[in-house]
Amino acid sequence: MTDTTPAPCAPEDVRRVACIGAGVIGGGWVAHFLARGYDVTAWDPAPDAEDKLRRLVAAAWPALEQLGLAEGASQDRLTVTATLAEAVADAQFVQESAPEKLELKRSLLAELDAATPPGVVIASSTSGYPMTDMQPQHGDGADPGRLVVGHPFNPPYLIPLVEVVGGESTAADAVAWSSRFYDVAGKSVITMDRELPGFIANRLQEALWREALHMVANGEATVKDIDDSITEGPGLRWAFMGPCLTFALAGGEGGMGHMLDHFGPSLKSPWTRLEAPELDRELRDAMVDGCEEAAGERTYADLVAERDQGVIDVLRATGRLGGTAR
Amino acid sequence: MTDTTPAPCAPEDVRRVACIGAGVIGGGWVAHFLARGYDVTAWDPAPDAEDKLRRLVAAAWPALEQLGLAEGASQDRLTVTATLAEAVADAQFVQESAPEKLELKRSLLAELDAATPPGVVIASSTSGYPMTDMQPQHGDGADPGRLVVGHPFNPPYLIPLVEVVGGESTAADAVAWSSRFYDVAGKSVITMDRELPGFIANRLQEALWREALHMVANGEATVKDIDDSITEGPGLRWAFMGPCLTFALAGGEGGMGHMLDHFGPSLKSPWTRLEAPELDRELRDAMVDGCEEAAGERTYADLVAERDQGVIDVLRATGRLGGTAR
């Protein structure tokens, strides 16, 4: 990555966002940015794109009202343009959400780079391709330094997570600018320092998902067993406490260190079809340090109380306490 | 498994439960059964067991009040006995939660079988051993047919899931009786038809967990990245919609069939360190049928609306909507 500074305005000063591609993901982005009070221009080559997009935004709006609209937020601040060039002409940030086809993404991003005002960051929603494979080459007026990946989760107007990462030619400043912008725009950002197929959350999801497929294939569990085992078990905690801290809590006062020192060897047992990593000192310490950092000032008792209250709140919220059925 | 009927009373008629072992898991069971209105007798060989147990129950009680106590539920209905024999003498169900040591479990379960009234079901909380390896042999008055595994999640008074499975000598009726009893007692039950190391939920957790360890070991993600990627992303949905149905929803109207037919091949990509199963016709159909069964009468639009409302409810419940910070 290079280090040129591309941004024409501070992330806090962005007022107008362009969304290119208005399907489920692109339309979800439009709804999100509108709800956060931005002016949004959108473009999609499909002939009925505007109708579909406005219906998607209208359908999402009651949910967005529940989440809390920013001051001045309105569906009326959406402009659907006839051309890509019009959509990005005055944009201070561009979010591309075209179908996952490599050649399409490459030519579209080159076209966007040519049409978008100098220095404005262009982010791709891709879940499948590293930016290195999609961004234009230097030269011929191209500015690959401002292209980043901003990978959302469906629907982008509800699930906070965005994974941000640059390609080989991306400027470090463009990554930092994007992360800050998404943060200001109400997303939860993970900034990655390298391109990694599947990013982080999808790799974790996929590991669980593959094990589920093995179990169904072997007749060991049904689809219902698998879904119930998560929603009635660990899924209740994962809504607010991640797998690392949850595992650490199971170690009582001894935390992650106790768990790894005592149960580490059993990770090598052939329970799952996933190859176990070497649990050396370095990995052990990285896990322990990470959990201690995550706990911060909170004691074990604090964390247990937080977990218990969280589970109760989630059970109540999802209608699983007596008398509160949804 | 054999088919003799062991139960001396119907699951609905149980009034008195014995809990053997009163540590974190056993004590959690005591709290749960008390909150559901049962008389509970408990025994633990540790000299300070009664004090610790009563403190654990008292600490859990405010949470249990929030969850909703059964009529007549009271901490006063706990009796801590001096001997194992006294604890089980009048019990209509026995839950064993001793430390995870195979020899200890074997001798304890044999002792329980000898002391417990004929036909009363004895369940083990074990997470580590198949019942086949722990239950006594037939003969000498032993009744291995009434021994089952009832594997809870921590803490048992909050997390609904219990995985029920018998060993080779367990009577099919004892498994059915236990599943019904746990259901009556307010748990969410998965009844397994075979012994499987790690049961179901722990296998899925472990697959995700191992991938997380790989990522930390390779410097690809920090502990915080991993935890955030779940709590800000898929974890929000998994609190109320399992991984299979979530994945099916991502396929739009086409559901699981669309996802497997179009993205199946990419499951073989080397994203995770988990070996992918062969996605043959049989597995494909099992997944599709399972998801259709799970959806039941609900349309795609119904499911999307349910997911959206669920995410909003969970975000609100965990203090992540504006102005509702915990």
Side-chain angles (χ1 to χ4, degrees):
Chain A
M1 294 198 293
T2 57
D3 281 313
T4 56
T5 303
C9 78
E12 293 79 3
D13 297 333
V14 172
R15 294 290 168 269
R16 181 179 295 270
V17 170
C19 292
I20 302 302
V24 171
I25 295 296
W29 273 120
V30 169
H32 175 78
F33 287 125
L34 287 170
R36 304 299 296 193
Y38 292 96
D39 291 315
V40 179
T41 50
W43 176 79
D44 188 295
D48 59 345
E50 175 158 6
D51 269 8
K52 272 192 166 169
L53 173 57
R54 292 196 184 274
R55 277 203 304 275
L56 186 156
V57 171
W61 209 253
L64 291 163
E65 285 175 334
Q66 285 192 68
L67 287 173
L69 298 176
E71 210 184 309
S74 165
Q75 297 180 60
D76 297 339
R77 294 173 73 173
L78 168 62
T79 307
V80 180
T81 63
T83 65
L84 174 149
E86 287 171 85
V88 300
D90 297 317
Q92 292 159 311
F93 177 76
V94 177
Q95 183 79 40
E96 170 274 314
S97 310
E100 290 286 321
K101 292 174 188 158
L102 184 56
E103 279 314 313
L104 171 65
K105 292 270 199 195
R106 290 170 84 150
S107 64
L108 180 63
L109 288 174
E111 196 180 343
L112 281 171
D113 181 34
T116 302
V120 167
V121 169
I122 301 167
S124 172
S125 298
T126 186
S127 63
Y129 303 110
M131 182 47 79
T132 297
D133 293 352
M134 300 190 297
Q135 64 196 158
Q137 302 296 305
H138 280 286
D140 276 343
D143 182 10
R146 60 165 157 177
L147 280 105
V148 303
V149 168
H151 172 240
F153 285 73
N154 192 40
Y157 57 85
L158 285 184
I159 305 290
L161 187 61
V162 179
E163 293 167 319
V164 176
V165 64
E168 272 172 28
S169 305
T170 303
D173 281 359
V175 173
W177 190 98
S178 305
S179 294
R180 176 66 188 148
F181 167 70
Y182 283 125
D183 183 47
V184 170
K187 305 298 290 183
S188 290
V189 182
I190 295 181
T191 309
M192 297 170 64
D193 64 3
R194 70 190 74 185
E195 294 181 290
L196 196 63
F199 308 96
I200 297 173
N202 274 347
R203 288 177 88 109
L204 296 169
Q205 282 204 91
E206 186 130 334
L208 187 149
W209 168 246
R210 288 187 190 182
E211 184 68 20
L213 283 173
H214 277 294
M215 297 185 81
V216 173
N218 294 343
E220 297 163 343
T222 65
V223 167
K224 180 176 173 8
D225 288 341
I226 285 162
D227 276 1
D228 287 352
S229 79
I230 297 298
T231 58
E232 302 299 309
L236 289 169
R237 301 182 290 214
W238 286 340
F240 60 90
M241 190 176 274
C244 296
L245 202 52
T246 299
F247 192 64
L249 261 194
E253 304 274 357
M256 178 61 81
H258 175 81
M259 290 304 280
L260 289 180
D261 297 341
H262 288 73
F263 297 106
S266 80
L267 288 171
K268 296 240 171 198
S269 70
W271 281 13
T272 69
R273 286 78 178 182
L274 183 69
E275 191 195 329
E278 197 56 50
L279 189 60
D280 56 17
R281 187 78 205 174
E282 198 179 350
L283 174 54
R284 185 236 178 242
D285 290 348
M287 296 305 300
V288 171
D289 294 349
C291 284
E292 277 169 11
E293 207 173 299
E297 299 291 305
R298 295 173 292 177
T299 64
Y300 170 70
D302 292 340
L303 289 168
V304 166
E306 216 171 281
R307 176 201 63 193
D308 284 10
Q309 193 57 51
V311 170
I312 290 169
D313 292 343
V314 166
L315 285 170
R316 181 183 293 121
T318 53
R320 283 178 280 181
L321 293 196
T324 57
R326 293 156 74 189
Chain B
M1 293 199 293
T2 57
D3 280 313
T4 55
T5 303
C9 78
E12 292 80 3
D13 296 334
V14 172
R15 293 292 168 266
R16 181 180 293 269
V17 171
C19 292
I20 303 302
V24 170
I25 295 296
W29 273 120
V30 168
H32 176 77
F33 287 125
L34 287 172
R36 304 300 296 192
Y38 293 97
D39 291 315
V40 178
T41 50
W43 176 79
D44 188 294
D48 59 344
E50 176 159 5
D51 269 8
K52 272 191 164 169
L53 173 56
R54 292 197 183 272
R55 277 203 304 274
L56 186 155
V57 171
W61 210 254
L64 291 163
E65 285 175 334
Q66 285 193 67
L67 286 173
L69 297 176
E71 209 183 309
S74 165
Q75 297 179 61
D76 296 340
R77 293 172 74 172
L78 168 62
T79 308
V80 180
T81 64
T83 65
L84 175 150
E86 287 170 85
V88 301
D90 297 316
Q92 292 159 312
F93 177 76
V94 178
Q95 182 80 38
E96 171 273 313
S97 310
E100 290 287 321
K101 292 174 187 158
L102 184 57
E103 279 313 313
L104 171 66
K105 291 270 199 196
R106 292 172 84 150
S107 63
L108 182 63
L109 288 174
E111 197 181 343
L112 281 172
D113 181 34
T116 302
V120 167
V121 168
I122 301 167
S124 173
S125 298
T126 186
S127 63
Y129 303 110
M131 182 48 78
T132 297
D133 293 352
M134 300 191 297
Q135 64 196 160
Q137 302 296 304
H138 281 288
D140 276 341
D143 183 10
R146 60 165 156 177
L147 280 105
V148 303
V149 168
H151 173 240
F153 284 73
N154 192 41
Y157 57 88
L158 285 184
I159 304 291
L161 187 61
V162 178
E163 293 167 318
V164 176
V165 64
E168 272 173 26
S169 305
T170 303
D173 281 359
V175 173
W177 190 96
S178 306
S179 293
R180 176 66 187 146
F181 167 70
Y182 283 126
D183 184 45
V184 170
K187 305 298 289 183
S188 290
V189 181
I190 295 180
T191 308
M192 297 170 63
D193 64 2
R194 70 191 72 183
E195 294 181 292
L196 196 63
F199 307 97
I200 296 173
N202 274 347
R203 288 176 87 109
L204 296 170
Q205 283 204 89
E206 186 130 336
L208 187 149
W209 169 244
R210 287 187 192 182
E211 184 67 18
L213 283 173
H214 276 295
M215 296 184 82
V216 172
N218 294 344
E220 296 163 343
T222 65
V223 167
K224 181 176 173 6
D225 289 340
I226 285 162
D227 276 2
D228 287 352
S229 79
I230 297 299
T231 58
E232 303 298 310
L236 290 168
R237 300 182 291 215
W238 287 339
F240 60 91
M241 189 176 273
C244 296
L245 202 52
T246 300
F247 192 65
L249 262 193
E253 305 273 358
M256 179 60 83
H258 175 81
M259 290 304 280
L260 290 180
D261 296 342
H262 288 73
F263 297 106
S266 80
L267 288 172
K268 296 238 171 200
S269 70
W271 280 12
T272 69
R273 287 77 178 182
L274 184 68
E275 191 194 330
E278 197 55 50
L279 189 58
D280 57 16
R281 187 79 205 173
E282 198 179 351
L283 174 54
R284 185 237 178 242
D285 290 349
M287 297 304 301
V288 171
D289 294 350
C291 284
E292 277 170 9
E293 208 174 296
E297 299 292 306
R298 295 173 292 177
T299 65
Y300 170 69
D302 292 340
L303 289 168
V304 167
E306 216 171 280
R307 177 200 62 192
D308 284 9
Q309 192 58 51
V311 171
I312 290 169
D313 292 343
V314 167
L315 285 170
R316 181 183 291 120
T318 52
R320 284 179 279 181
L321 293 196
T324 57
R326 295 155 76 188

